[in-house]
Amino acid sequence: MTKVLVLYYSSYGHIEQMADAVAEGARAGGAEVDIRRVAETAPQAVVEAAHFKTDTKHAEIEGPDALAKYDAIIVGAPTRYGRMPSQMAAFWDTTGGLWFQGKLIGKVGGAFTSTASQHGGQETTLFSIITNLLHHGMTIVGLDYGFAGQNGLDEVKGGTPYGASTLADGDGSRQPSAVELDGARYQGKRIAETAAKLAG
């Protein structure tokens, strides 16, 4: 059975919800799925002042070497000034040994994100994640237009061909919509199916 890792960082729970949906889709694609989060690196005073969500049902990733055991790795993180946040970047900065050994070459990768606003840097954040995966030799699967939900202007919604996404609003009050969660499930399923084909 194909093994998929959904690896995420979430400050307020939006990406955590998307991670669950991505994992649900990957399981529907026939994969065994683990969900892990990266460590919080912000000072405790910042975490408390910004009211970060600190309760989670997902364990922290054991370390970079854990990545090698998966056939696919799907990375989710919110945007910080149009790029992945330092918490996720700090984790990928520890993967040099894996890169040197080529341990992730040929595996499948994907990304998903959230922003406060419609033009808050979703695509640049996705590319900041995808760039790391490409440097590791991974094959990228985005949110293709087989998912018709990302089309249309009937409602405010995330979703890009580079990866699933959601919008949180400036105060974090907006939660992922049904169509955004469906997009995350679709991408997770496509990644699992692609990984199974490559592994076969």
Side-chain angles (χ1 to χ4, degrees):
M1 182 177 282
T2 306
K3 293 190 71 172
V4 172
L5 171 66
V6 180
L7 180 67
Y8 77 93
Y9 171 74
S10 187
S11 296
Y12 297 104
H14 299 80
I15 288 294
E16 183 179 45
Q17 290 180 61
M18 294 286 281
D20 285 332
V22 168
E24 186 181 331
R27 290 185 188 104
E32 176 186 330
V33 182
D34 291 331
I35 306 174
R36 297 287 184 267
R37 58 186 173 81
V38 299
E40 179 60 76
T41 59
Q44 188 61 31
V46 171
V47 170
E48 292 173 5
H51 306 290
F52 283 3
K53 181 180 184 295
T54 56
D55 60 315
T56 179
K57 57 191 170 188
H58 304 126
E60 193 174 301
I61 185 82
E62 300 90 340
D65 290 345
L67 301 179
K69 67 184 178 182
Y70 295 98
D71 301 296
I73 302 165
I74 313 170
V75 180
T79 186
R80 292 293 186 272
Y81 304 110
R83 59 177 170 76
M84 79 171 98
S86 60
Q87 292 88 342
M88 184 59 75
F91 174 80
W92 283 98
D93 283 348
T94 69
T95 64
L98 292 175
W99 173 85
F100 186 76
Q101 298 174 69
K103 293 286 190 179
L104 304 186
I105 291 173
K107 296 179 185 292
V108 178
F112 59 100
T113 193
S114 70
T115 53
S117 66
Q118 292 183 75
H119 307 290
Q122 289 190 352
E123 294 179 352
T124 55
T125 300
L126 291 167
F127 272 106
S128 76
I129 296 169
I130 290 168
T131 300
N132 287 264
L133 306 184
L134 286 170
H135 274 266
H136 274 285
M138 300 177 73
T139 299
I140 305 304
V141 175
L143 181 63
D144 62 64
Y145 285 103
F147 177 67
Q150 64 181 314
N151 295 315
L153 300 173
D154 53 318
E155 62 179 292
V156 173
K157 56 188 168 184
T160 83
Y162 316 109
S165 62
T166 186
L167 299 156
D169 206 352
D171 62 359
S173 61
R174 183 183 181 276
Q175 299 302 307
S177 69
V179 70
E180 291 166 342
L181 293 171
D182 283 346
R185 291 183 190 99
Y186 179 96
Q187 186 181 8
K189 186 170 186 284
R190 288 276 290 117
I191 288 171
E193 292 169 343
T194 302
K197 287 177 183 177
L198 291 178

